[in-house]
Amino acid sequence: MAEIEELSPAAGPVSTRPLEDEIEDDDDDEDLDETLMERLWGLTEMFPDTVRSAAEVSAHCSVSLVKKFYSFSRTALWVGTTSFMILVLPVVFETEKLQLEQQQLQQQRQILLGPNTGMSGGMPGMMPPAPGKM
């Protein structure tokens, strides 16, 4: 309960932080005229040469690996796409053409022989069964 009393208005005036305008600017960053690259180059001096060279080699290998993977993926996509177009699309077109021809033959048979012959699974070229012989 002592903590609550300290924050209550009866405890007296509460000290507050000074406004930002009243705070003195002790930042030395504004006085320095160095670029980001100069700062990063200064940070490299805190690491030993072996760590810097290992980081450089790993970054170079990573960039090289990404370039090779990108080149391989482009080549694989090209080979896959052209192979599909040359090998698969003609088969798809021929099956579509065959289905269309069969549908046209079925429609011609329905027109010539009547609507029930198109539905029956009879052999093509055979006469429909006579209605009285069943």
Side-chain angles (χ1 to χ4, degrees):
M1 284 293 220
E3 295 174 10
I4 296 176
E5 290 176 5
E6 290 177 5
L7 297 177
S8 67
V14 179
S15 63
T16 59
R17 291 182 20 198
L19 297 175
E20 289 184 21
D21 296 337
E22 297 174 2
I23 298 175
E24 292 182 21
D25 290 328
D26 290 334
D27 294 334
D28 292 332
D29 293 338
E30 294 177 4
D31 297 337
L32 299 176
D33 292 329
E34 61 183 19
T35 64
L36 180 65
M37 286 303 296
E38 290 172 345
R39 287 186 180 198
L40 291 176
W41 187 257
L43 286 175
T44 60
E45 294 173 355
M46 33 185 292
F47 296 108
D49 288 335
T50 56
V51 174
R52 284 187 280 175
S53 63
E56 181 182 355
V57 167
S58 67
H60 178 69
C61 288
S62 297
V63 168
S64 175
L65 185 66
V66 167
K67 285 181 180 179
K68 287 180 182 178
F69 179 72
Y70 177 70
S71 174
F72 172 76
S73 64
R74 285 180 47 196
T75 304
L77 183 64
W78 172 255
V79 168
T81 304
T82 54
S83 298
F84 177 78
M85 291 172 70
I86 292 172
L87 299 174
V88 177
L89 282 181
V91 174
V92 170
F93 290 149
E94 286 299 318
T95 54
E96 185 70 26
K97 182 180 171 185
L98 182 64
Q99 287 176 354
L100 184 63
E101 288 176 357
Q102 288 176 351
Q103 185 180 10
Q104 286 176 349
L105 284 174
Q106 186 178 11
Q107 285 177 353
Q108 285 178 356
R109 196 176 310 131
Q110 278 183 344
I111 291 172
L112 293 174
L113 302 176
N116 290 335
T117 57
M119 298 292 182
S120 67
M123 299 277 286
M126 292 194 60
M127 296 293 289
K133 293 213 174 180
M134 288 187 123

